[in-house]
Amino acid sequence: MDVGSRIRSAVPLRVAVLGSTGSIGASTLEVIAASDGEFVPFLLAAHRRTDLLLAQARAYLPQWIVVLDPAAALAMDRTGVPAETQVAVGPEALDELVQAPEIDRVVAAIVGAAGLRSTWAALEAGKTVALANKETLVMAGPLVMELAERSGGTIIPVDSEHSAIHQALRAGSADEVVRIVLTASGGPFRLRAVETLVSVTPAEALKHPTWSMGPKITIDSATMMNKALEIIEARWLFGVPAEKLGVLVHPQSIVHSMVEFIDGSVVAQMSPPDMKLPIQYALSYPQRLAGVARRFDFSQSMHLEFAAPDPQRFPAVGLGYAAAARGGTCGAVLNAANEEAVRGFLEGELRFTDIAEVCARVLDEHPFQPDPSLDDVRRLDAWARQEVVKWACV
Ligand code: NDP
Ligand code: MG
């Protein structure tokens, strides 16, 4: 095959973008626009930003748009909806629409625990899900993997580390894997004096050195809670025990993760930090397509550093290992406590260093269940949020 040539699909792949108005959603639409008709948007869903959703509908002419917040739907100016597009409202409508036979791939890019139900509905219908919403696996990994197995659904990760691991795992068989190493940029406070972290402001924490992302994951990157969530995500997605998962701080964000095999070979995936590449990989897998993402300029010298994360600076990482090792309700509780703590930090109720501290406390004190149902997960999610609110009020 000529370098750069590609095998085109006979028919375009119809894509549902859940969370189209977010950072991953917008990058997904760029990938779709650049695909030369390989991918077409069938459905776009957002929460409240209806102006942006309508602008996307006019630009991409999907069959459906879904507004998840009923109040925002009520206030939306429907004269802006293109003639080709129908409108649906609320999470129940999305659960049903995401199962439509016309949909070939679902990009799950809603942020937080709110993304679980639509991802669940898509998998229930046996869809192939390009999963950005890591919280789905963090909260209910074993249940979600079991569901996919039962329904014939497939999860292709969008998270850059897990996309890298997915790619690297193609170099060997599962029983040849010794270790998986997730890389982390270290965020904006990698070198800041540890004793000053207590006074970090939201504006400082929202400035990420290498990635441009939504606010919640940007704060998670600053605390490295993002890596904690990703350890849990990897544990369930790839079915590897916590002790086989490692983390290295790699400030350049070029090596997105690596897999070590029994013979000592380490296979890494490298590319400039640009989410369009893992998004496109998840849409086109098992093929690769000519890409829209940034590429390396090999005429420039490249310097790559790796270091173990400092547990004093990043206590959240240890919580990820503990939750991945213990399983059960730990992921759901850690995720919910963190979501509430991040909200509290952004709204000035909590200090930066309180985030990991309150998460550790809630995780420690929660009524652990080793084999929870989805209802147990939801109940403990709500419980953990309340605990953080109580803690913030003391
Ligand atoms: P953003 O905050 O940029 O976007 C979030 C999207 O979710 C928006 O479309 C938003 O709609 C929608 N949304 C927010 N709250 C709700 C809710 N309660 N119910 C339904 N929809 C809701 O997030 P990102 O794009 O950064 O992240 C999306 C997911 O991808 C997260 O799970 C994150 O961890 C993961 N991820 C992101 C990466 C990145 O580079 N950004 C990298 C790896 C993973 P509206 O705009 O209307 O509010
Ligand atoms: Mg990631």
Side-chain angles (χ1 to χ4, degrees), residues 19 21-24 47-49 109 111 132 134-135 159 213-214 275:
T21 48
S23 161
I24 292 289
H47 189 219
R48 289 193 182 131
R49 283 189 283 174
V111 64
K134 64 191 82 181
E135 295 87 348
D159 216 348
M213 309 180 285
M275 287 308 294

Side-chain angles (χ1 to χ4, degrees), residues 232-256:
I232 305 169
E233 179 185 12
R235 196 254 168 276
W236 302 122
L237 183 62
F238 302 115
V240 285
E243 60 272 17
K244 280 193 172 185
L245 295 165
V247 170
L248 281 178
V249 173
H250 166 51
Q252 292 79 20
S253 301
I254 295 287
V255 172
H256 297 298

Side-chain angles (χ1 to χ4, degrees), residues 225-385:
M225 185 64 81
N226 185 45
K227 220 42 58 180
L229 302 180
E230 290 182 354
I231 291 167
I232 305 169
E233 179 185 12
R235 196 254 168 276
W236 302 122
L237 183 62
F238 302 115
V240 285
E243 60 272 17
K244 280 193 172 185
L245 295 165
V247 170
L248 281 178
V249 173
H250 166 51
Q252 292 79 20
S253 301
I254 295 287
V255 172
H256 297 298
S257 279
M258 17 195 177
V259 176
E260 183 184 339
F261 292 94
I262 42 175
D263 58 359
S265 271
V266 176
V267 178
Q269 186 266 339
M270 297 168 63
S271 52
D274 183 342
M275 287 308 294
K276 289 196 286 298
L277 177 54
I279 291 167
Q280 178 177 293
Y281 174 83
L283 287 177
S284 70
Y285 177 81
Q287 285 190 59
R288 288 183 188 271
L289 301 178
V292 277
R294 278 187 284 146
R295 304 184 90 97
F296 283 132
D297 174 1
F298 286 108
S299 67
Q300 303 293 310
S301 64
M302 204 189 291
H303 176 67
L304 304 177
E305 296 163 78
F306 300 93
D310 170 1
Q312 243 199 313
R313 178 182 300 279
F314 298 120
V317 177
L319 301 180
Y321 277 117
R326 200 168 179 215
T329 41
C330 289
V333 167
L334 179 60
N335 179 67
N338 178 57
E339 272 186 32
E340 191 56 36
V342 169
R343 187 205 54 74
F345 168 65
L346 288 173
E347 291 177 13
E349 295 158 16
L350 290 178
R351 295 170 303 181
F352 183 73
T353 45
D354 290 336
I355 298 175
E357 199 182 328
V358 68
C359 286
R361 176 87 67 90
V362 173
L363 191 59
D364 225 30
E365 290 176 359
H366 93 274
F368 176 74
Q369 283 177 247
D371 202 11
S373 67
L374 208 51
D375 278 347
D376 296 330
V377 162
R378 290 201 183 103
R379 200 170 36 78
L380 276 164
D381 174 285
W383 175 87
R385 286 168 203 268

Side-chain angles (χ1 to χ4, degrees), residues 68 83 154 166 234 246 370:
L68 287 155
T154 307
H166 192 273

